[in-house]
Amino acid sequence: MFKKTEKVKRDLQEEIRAVTTLKDAEQLKIKYLGRKGIIQDFMKLIPTLPAEQRAAFGQQINALKAEVASFIEEVIEKLSREPVLKVNHEIFDITLPGKLPVTGKKHPLTQTIDDVKEVFARLGFDVVYGPEVELEYYNFEALNIPADHPSRTDFDTFYIKNDILLRSQTSTVQIRIMEKQKPPIRIIAPGKVYRPDTVDARHSFMFHQVEGLLVDEGVSFADLKEVLNQFIKTYFGKDVRMRFRPSFFPFTEPSAEVDISCSLCSGKGCSVCSYSGWVEILGAGMVDPHVFKAVHYDTEKYTGFAFGMGVERITMLKHGISDIRLFYENDIRFLSQF
Ligand code: DAH
């Protein structure tokens, strides 16, 4: 019997030397210690032996089992400590920097819209959306721009059919919201607008605007100024100055165009600001009572302000981008800079 157990050990040690993977080691474990394994075959012999030999034989087998188990565990442990992938240092230089995976990013215009949303969310404005395919009524009439109004040409428009068009401004959303909700109202409405402009470095037939509207009792022009001041300082930076110029929009009275000190030359004068030191960024004003009448608001009780800005425009000014077409060309060299 002693010879037999010694042989088992020798065979096992030989087999262990050939083991290179954890899988090999597991198979060896099954071969020796499994339910149909070599040790079990010895166990099966016990009942066939004369009664007086059984105890001694059993002890021997148990001792063998423990030894076999410890040999196999040892090799398993050793293999699990080794790295799975052995590096061939002649082929790989492990000191070279790794390749970074290419990660996607938000489009710069989406980033701007997100930034604008964040500033206004802090000031208590909700984000709302309106349709791009609109009725003439929302794009013009309700905004105090009747059919023969000379300013209609300023909002030159793609007509689809009869009174259906592609909206040329996000001011449409002002009406859609006020029709549904009573004051107080505090919203911004980002989205696409369309105008049949010839495409060049400053024009595109589709671009983005963010509209803002606040209506309540006792809202004044000073509130408009402070809200825009907060936005400009956060988006463009603390040192940027702002100025209001009188202007005209049919849906606001009084109306203003808002300029900021040119962020590229800090107001010293450059080609972007036509050497004036100022660049226009948005239109704004106090909501015209005619607009309130269209949505049946009490013009004695409520006042409000509105503003509208071009998303491409503010993005270009902030980052010094000189051609609007870059936003739509999907050139990764441009997009990956943001
Ligand atoms: N809708 C105007 C445009 O597209 C921008 C604008 C000006 C919006 C004044 C306003 C506003 O809400 O009060 O040019």
Side-chain angles (χ1 to χ4, degrees):
M1 183 59 214
F2 178 72
K3 273 191 183 156
K4 274 193 184 158
T5 56
E6 281 307 300
K7 181 166 171 5
V8 170
K9 279 195 260 174
R10 254 185 286 119
D11 289 351
L12 173 63
Q13 265 157 354
E14 204 145 298
E15 286 196 86
I16 281 177
R17 269 196 285 279
V19 164
T20 54
T21 66
L22 271 174
K23 206 169 152 210
D24 295 345
E26 292 296 342
Q27 259 159 12
L28 211 56
K29 191 172 175 179
I30 295 168
K31 181 173 172 186
Y32 280 85
L33 299 167
R35 267 191 297 123
K36 292 180 183 160
I38 292 170
I39 302 290
Q40 208 53 36
D41 286 344
F42 280 115
M43 294 284 196
K44 282 184 200 141
L45 291 176
I46 296 175
T48 67
L49 294 173
E52 65 277 13
Q53 290 177 18
R54 284 182 201 164
F57 187 80
Q59 271 171 6
Q60 262 186 327
I61 300 303
N62 275 336
L64 177 67
K65 187 179 174 183
E67 260 185 296
V68 167
S70 91
F71 286 154
I72 296 177
E73 281 317 315
E74 199 178 310
V75 71
I76 288 178
E77 209 208 86
K78 191 172 145 230
L79 286 171
S80 27
R81 264 188 276 118
E82 279 178 13
V84 179
L85 196 71
K86 291 209 181 102
V87 177
N88 182 343
H89 291 273
E90 281 169 19
I91 300 174
F92 297 110
D93 178 355
I94 58 167
T95 63
L96 281 176
K99 274 190 192 159
L100 282 178
V102 182
T103 48
K105 280 188 192 171
K106 281 187 185 166
H107 190 278
L109 294 177
T110 309
Q111 288 183 34
T112 300
I113 292 173
D114 284 352
D115 290 347
V116 174
K117 280 185 195 165
E118 200 185 309
V119 179
F120 283 100
R122 269 189 258 140
L123 296 169
F125 284 73
D126 290 330
V127 181
V128 295
Y129 299 92
E132 289 169 27
V133 176
E134 254 302 4
L135 293 171
E136 213 174 16
Y137 174 77
Y138 291 98
N139 205 72
F140 295 123
E141 264 99 81
L143 288 162
N144 196 32
I145 320 178
D148 56 352
H149 201 287
S151 77
R152 270 218 188 186
T153 48
D154 295 340
F155 302 92
D156 212 359
T157 307
F158 281 117
Y159 277 85
I160 295 175
K161 199 178 171 190
N162 305 328
D163 61 342
I164 302 171
L165 46 77
L166 290 178
R167 69 177 178 194
S168 58
Q169 49 179 341
T170 45
S171 304
T172 51
V173 189
Q174 290 188 30
I175 306 299
R176 289 197 168 268
I177 287 298
M178 288 193 284
E179 271 185 347
K180 277 191 287 184
Q181 270 171 243
K182 293 272 150 271
I185 294 214
R186 217 183 259 220
I187 55 108
I188 57 162
K192 291 187 170 75
V193 298
Y194 302 83
R195 290 182 195 177
D197 283 331
T198 305
V199 176
D200 62 22
R202 294 166 141 257
H203 297 90
S204 164
F205 48 81
M206 182 282 299
F207 56 101
H208 298 73
Q209 288 186 331
V210 179
E211 191 77 13
L213 174 70
L214 185 148
V215 184
D216 207 339
E217 289 176 42
V219 178
S220 72
F221 204 92
D223 298 318
L224 168 64
K225 260 188 132 167
E226 185 45 29
V227 164
L228 292 180
N229 186 42
Q230 294 272 343
F231 163 69
I232 287 165
K233 293 265 150 62
T234 316
Y235 183 75
F236 288 102
K238 280 197 196 63
D239 299 330
V240 168
R241 282 163 297 133
M242 156 183 105
R243 75 175 184 189
F244 280 61
R245 270 183 298 108
S247 184
F248 173 79
F249 296 101
F251 31 87
T252 42
E253 181 59 36
S255 301
E257 275 172 322
V258 178
D259 298 341
I260 57 165
S261 52
C262 179
S263 49
L264 296 180
C265 63
S266 310
K268 288 187 202 82
C270 67
S271 61
V272 170
C273 59
S274 309
Y275 300 92
S276 70
W278 295 94
V279 281
E280 183 209 317
I281 59 154
L282 56 84
M286 300 305 289
V287 179
D288 192 295
H290 287 99
V291 174
F292 282 155
K293 285 209 181 99
V295 294
H296 311 295
Y297 276 11
D298 183 346
T299 53
E300 293 297 311
K301 193 170 173 194
Y302 297 115
T303 49
F305 63 72
F307 57 87
M309 63 183 113
V311 175
E312 280 79 349
R313 185 161 178 79
I314 62 170
T315 312
M316 288 167 82
L317 287 172
K318 182 165 171 169
H319 298 289
I321 299 162
S322 55
D323 195 322
I324 195 171
R325 290 169 290 197
L326 287 165
F327 290 121
Y328 317 116
E329 284 168 353
N330 265 342
D331 187 331
I332 202 82
R333 292 167 302 179
F334 170 72
L335 297 175
S336 63
Q337 296 179 52
F338 298 91

